[in-house]
C-alpha cells in the first residue's frame, strides 16, 4: 500500500513539476504572455510560423485577404512618428536637412543623366525649345519692323512710338520675375506652356486691334509671356543634360534667338512692302500688310506649343517635389529612347532608387466642405504668391546675396548694351536719314516756268508762289 501511494505521489509530482516560477503544462500566472512552446502544440506552432510562406517567394498570406503585413504596419507607424516629430522641429533644421538632401540628389542625378546618355531625346528637345526661343526673338524684333507702318495707321506721336518700343521690355521684366518663381512650384513644362500660350494669343490679337491703346496692351501681355519663356527654356533644357554637355548645348540653343531675328527680318522684307496684301472693311477697319507680318511672326510660338505637348516634365523638378516614381519613369524613357537610337535596345536602366529631398509642406488648403470655390482659389493664389516671393527673397539671403548682386550687374550691362542698341539704332538711323534729306532740300520762290518738260525727280523741292504755264 505504501508502494502504491508512493507511486501516485511521484506521478502527480511529475505532472506538476515546478520549474522556477512556472509549471509545465500550464500558463504562468503573472499576467503577461510568454512565447514558450507548450506540449502537444509543437506541430501547430510550426504550421503557424510558416503559414503563407513559400520557399521560392516569401508571400504574406494575409495580403490576399486585405490584411496588412506586420512589417508594413511598423513602417507606417515609423513614418507617422517621423512626421509628428517634424511638426515639433525648428523650421531652420528642416531647411538645413532639405539642403543636405538636395546636395546628395545633385550628385546622384548627374550620375543618372550620364547613364541615360546624350542622344535622340536631347536633340528632339533641343529643336522644340529652340522654336520657343526663336518665337521670343521674333517678338522682340516685331515692333521695330512694324513701327514705320503702324505710326501712319495709328497716327502715333513721338512719345507714343517710344512707349510702344518700351512696353514689350516692361512686360518681359514682370514676366521673368513671376514665371521664374512659378516654374519652381508648378513645373518647368507647365509654366513654359502657359507663357508661350500667353505670348501667342496676344501677339495674334495685336494684329487685329485698331486702336493704339489696345495694341499697346496686347504687346504688354505678349512681353509678359516672353519674359517667362526666356529663363524657363534654359533651366528646362539644362536638367536633361550632363555636366560635360551642358555649356556646349546651351550655347547652341542661343543660336535660335538669332534665327528668330533672321526670320523676322526676312518676313518683314517679303511682306510689309506689299500693301495690297491687306483688306479694308469700310472706313473704320483696315488690315494692312504689316498686320499680316505680325500674324506670321506668331507661327514659331504656335509650333513650339504643339511640339511641347509631347515632351515630359523635368525629372529633376519632380524629384525636388518628391514625385519619385514619375521622375524614374521619365528617366527610363530617356534612357530607352537614346539606347534604341544607338542600336543598343537591350541595355537595361540600372537605377532603382533615387534620393528625394525632405518635403516641407507649406501649402494651406481649405476643404471643399468648409469654404466656397472663390475662397479656395484665393487661398491657393495667395499661398503660391507667398512661395514665389520666398523664392525671390531666397536669392537675397546671406549665402547667395553677393552672387545675386554680381550676376544682376553682369546681366544688366549685357541687356543694356544689347536691347539698348536694338531700340536706339533705328532712331539714330532715322535721324541721320532725316538730316540727309533736309540737306538736299531746294526751295524756289516766284519761279516762272513756261513750255518746260520735267524729266527728273521733284522730291524734296519746294516751289512757292511760282507760275507754271504749259509744263
Amino acid at each position: 500500500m505504501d508502494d502504491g501511494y508512493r507511486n501516485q505521489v511521484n506521478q502527480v509530482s511529475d505532472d506538476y513539476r515546478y520549474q522556477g516560477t512556472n509549471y509545465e503544462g500550464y500558463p504562468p500566472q503573472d499576467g503577461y504572455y510568454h512565447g514558450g512552446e507548450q506540449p502537444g502544440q509543437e506541430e501547430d506552432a510550426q504550421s503557424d510560423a510558416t503559414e503563407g510562406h513559400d520557399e521560392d517567394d516569401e508571400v504574406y498570406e494575409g495580403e490576399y485577404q486585405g490584411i496588412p503585413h506586420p512589417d508594413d504596419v511598423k513602417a507606417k507607424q515609423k513614418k507617422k512618428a517621423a512626421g509628428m516629430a517634424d511638426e515639433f522641429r525648428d523650421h531652420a533644421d528642416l531647411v538645413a536637412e532639405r539642403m543636405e538632401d538636395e546636395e546628395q540628389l545633385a550628385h546622384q542625378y548627374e550620375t543618372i543623366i550620364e547613364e541615360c546618355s546624350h542622344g535622340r531625346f536631347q536633340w528632339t528637345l533641343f529643336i522644340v525649345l529652340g522654336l520657343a526661343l526663336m518665337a521670343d526673338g521674333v517678338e522682340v524684333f516685331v515692333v521695330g519692323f512694324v513701327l514705320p507702318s503702324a505710326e501712319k495707321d495709328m497716327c502715333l506721336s513721338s512719345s507714343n512710338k517710344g512707349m510702344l518700343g518700351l512696353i514689350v521690355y516692361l512686360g518681359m521684366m514682370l514676366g521673368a520675375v513671376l514665371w521664374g518663381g512659378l516654374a519652381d512650384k508648378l513645373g518647368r513644362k507647365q509654366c513654359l506652356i502657359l507663357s508661350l500660350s500667353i505670348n501667342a494669343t496676344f501677339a495674334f490679337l495685336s494684329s487685329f486691334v485698331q486702336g493704339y491703346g489696345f495694341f499697346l496692351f496686347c504687346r504688354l501681355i505678349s512681353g509678359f509671356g516672353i519674359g517667362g519663356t526666356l529663363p524657363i527654356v534654359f533651366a528646362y533644357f539644362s536638367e536633361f543634360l550632363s555636366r560635360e554637355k551642358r555649356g556646349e548645348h546651351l550655347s547652341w540653343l542661343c543660336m535660335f534667338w538669332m534665327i528668330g531675328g533672321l526670320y523676322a527680318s526676312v518676313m518683314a522684307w517679303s511682306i510689309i512692302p506689299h500693301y495690297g496684301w491687306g483688306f479694308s472693311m469700310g472706313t473704320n477697319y483696315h488690315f494692312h500688310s504689316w498686320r499680316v507680318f505680325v500674324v506670321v511672326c506668331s507661327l514659331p510660338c504656335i509650333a513650339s506649343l504643339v511640339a511641347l505637348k509631347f515632351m515630359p516634365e523635368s525629372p529633376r523638378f519632380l524629384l525636388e517635389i518628391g514625385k519619385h516614381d514619375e521622375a524614374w519613369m521619365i528617366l527610363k524613357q530617356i534612357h530607352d529612347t537614346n539606347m534604341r537610337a544607338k542600336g543598343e535596345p537591350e541595355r537595361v536602366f540600372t537605377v532603382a532608387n533615387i534620393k528625394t529631398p525632405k518635403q516641407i509642406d507649406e501649402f494651406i488648403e481649405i476643404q471643399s466642405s468648409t469654404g466656397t470655390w472663390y475662397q479656395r482659389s484665393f487661398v491657393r493664389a495667395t499661398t503660391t504668391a507667398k512661395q514665389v516671393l520666398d523664392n525671390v527673397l531666397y536669392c537675397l539671403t546671406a549665402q547667395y546675396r553677393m552672387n545675386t548682386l554680381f550676376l544682376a550687374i553682369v546681366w544688366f550691362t549685357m541687356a543694356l548694351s544689347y536691347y539698348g542698341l536694338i531700340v536706339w539704332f533705328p532712331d539714330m538711323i532715322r535721324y541721320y536719314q532725316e538730316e540727309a534729306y533736309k540737306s538736299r532740300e531746294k526751295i524756289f520762290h516766284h519761279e516762272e516756268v513756261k513750255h518746260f518738260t520735267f524729266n527728273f525727280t521733284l522730291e524734296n523741292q519746294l516751289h512757292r508762289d511760282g507760275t507754271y504755264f504749259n509744263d
Side-chain angles (χ1 to χ4, degrees), residues 181-395:
L182 284 177
D184 291 333
K185 296 300 178 183
L186 303 180
R188 315 285 192 247
K189 177 185 173 181
Q190 184 175 353
C191 287
L192 186 56
I193 289 176
L194 289 174
S195 61
L196 284 172
S197 301
I198 291 174
N199 181 13
T201 301
F202 285 90
F204 186 79
L205 288 177
S206 67
S207 65
F208 294 94
V209 297
Q210 297 292 302
Y212 170 74
F214 284 113
F215 187 80
L216 197 68
F217 174 76
C218 288
R219 300 314 302 179
L220 171 66
I221 306 302
S222 176
F224 181 75
I226 297 172
T229 305
L230 191 61
I232 296 175
V233 160
F234 290 99
Y236 184 35
F237 190 44
S238 65
E239 291 175 350
F240 290 92
L241 299 173
S242 61
R243 185 182 292 109
E244 61 179 8
K245 298 285 186 180
R246 196 169 298 146
E248 177 185 5
H249 287 265
L250 289 179
S251 299
W252 289 356
L253 191 63
C254 294
M255 175 180 63
F256 281 91
W257 181 271
M258 310 311 166
I259 294 176
L262 292 174
Y263 175 82
S265 303
V266 172
M267 292 298 105
W269 172 75
S270 59
I271 295 176
I272 293 179
H274 296 81
Y275 297 104
W277 287 17
F279 61 90
S280 298
M281 298 175 62
T283 59
N284 296 326
Y285 191 87
H286 302 278
F287 193 87
H288 292 155
S289 57
W290 68 268
R291 296 181 182 274
V292 178
F293 165 72
V294 174
V295 173
V296 171
C297 285
S298 64
L299 295 181
C301 189
I302 297 174
S304 177
L305 262 175
V306 174
L308 197 60
K309 288 288 187 179
F310 299 96
M311 293 291 105
E313 180 59 86
S314 166
R316 177 64 185 270
F317 166 75
L318 294 175
L319 290 172
E320 291 281 352
I321 62 175
K323 295 185 177 181
H324 175 278
D325 294 342
E326 295 180 28
W328 185 89
M329 291 298 294
I330 293 173
L331 289 168
K332 186 177 184 302
Q333 175 190 351
I334 298 171
H335 175 273
D336 294 345
T337 301
N338 291 337
M339 291 305 110
R340 283 195 301 268
K342 293 180 178 181
E344 302 176 3
E346 70 281 353
R347 183 174 293 186
V348 179
F349 186 53
T350 61
V351 177
N353 191 26
I354 310 173
K355 178 70 176 180
T356 54
K358 186 174 189 61
Q359 302 301 307
I360 304 176
D361 189 11
E362 299 177 348
F363 193 79
I364 301 173
E365 179 62 77
I366 298 179
Q367 299 296 328
S368 58
S369 59
T370 58
T372 59
W373 65 269
Y374 56 85
Q375 288 177 325
R376 294 192 295 273
S377 301
F378 178 76
V379 168
R380 292 192 189 99
T382 53
T383 306
T384 304
K386 179 181 179 301
Q387 292 173 342
V388 171
L389 180 62
D390 290 341
N391 271 7
V392 175
L393 296 179
Y394 186 70
C395 297

